Amino acid sequence: MQRFVVSGTLASLLTGIVFAIWPAAGPWTVEDYQATSREQELTSAELVMLRAHRSDPSPQHTDALVTFPSFHTILAILSAIALWDVRKVRWLALAICMAVCISTVTTGWHYAVDVLAGIAVALIGYRASARLVR
């Protein structure tokens, strides 16, 4: 459990750094996708206002601003790793992890590169946590 918390914290910090360098929005904001949910519509409007320096982020509208790397992917992978030693849920956790990674792309919330970057960040956070938690 301690390693899960440490790796999640490290992955969060790394995600913040990566996003600060390469801010990105979901594919629905630049591709010819229609928003598939009210949250995507609100997030798109908030992004436009933020880029125009006309708004401060409001908590109810910024739930999906970080899309590169995919934090959904990061948490899914770290959760699957944390549950791997529990034999009864091992394969279920892996199936849910894979479903999260695939669905973030197929629903228009993320590009595939966001998921790949999320995988990399999750693995970096997990490997780094091994050095910190002994």
Side-chain angles (χ1 to χ4, degrees):
M1 181 60 134
Q2 184 180 13
R3 188 158 178 200
F4 174 75
V5 172
V6 171
S7 60
T9 302
L10 293 173
S12 296
L13 293 171
L14 186 54
T15 297
I17 292 168
V18 170
F19 182 70
I21 297 169
W22 295 293
W28 76 90
T29 62
V30 294
E31 299 292 336
D32 196 20
Y33 292 155
Q34 295 298 317
T36 58
S37 67
R38 178 78 176 131
E39 290 82 18
Q40 286 179 339
E41 290 174 7
L42 292 172
T43 300
S44 296
E46 189 71 23
L47 282 169
V48 169
M49 290 177 19
L50 283 171
R51 288 186 179 144
H53 303 288
R54 291 187 300 208
S55 173
D56 290 326
S58 54
Q60 65 270 38
H61 296 203
T62 57
D63 58 343
L65 290 180
V66 176
T67 63
F68 180 81
S70 166
F71 206 71
H72 291 96
T73 300
I74 294 167
L75 288 179
I77 290 171
L78 292 178
S79 297
I81 291 170
L83 292 170
W84 191 254
D85 289 336
V86 182
R87 286 190 171 288
K88 292 184 179 187
V89 297
R90 174 182 294 178
W91 298 107
L92 178 61
L94 182 61
I96 291 171
C97 173
M98 292 175 68
V100 167
C101 294
I102 292 168
S103 69
T104 59
V105 175
T106 60
T107 58
W109 282 98
H110 290 283
Y111 289 109
V113 70
D114 301 337
V115 173
L116 294 174
I119 292 168
V121 169
L123 295 178
I124 290 168
Y126 184 74
R127 300 276 263 160
S129 71
R131 296 177 187 261
L132 298 172
V133 177
R134 294 180 185 202

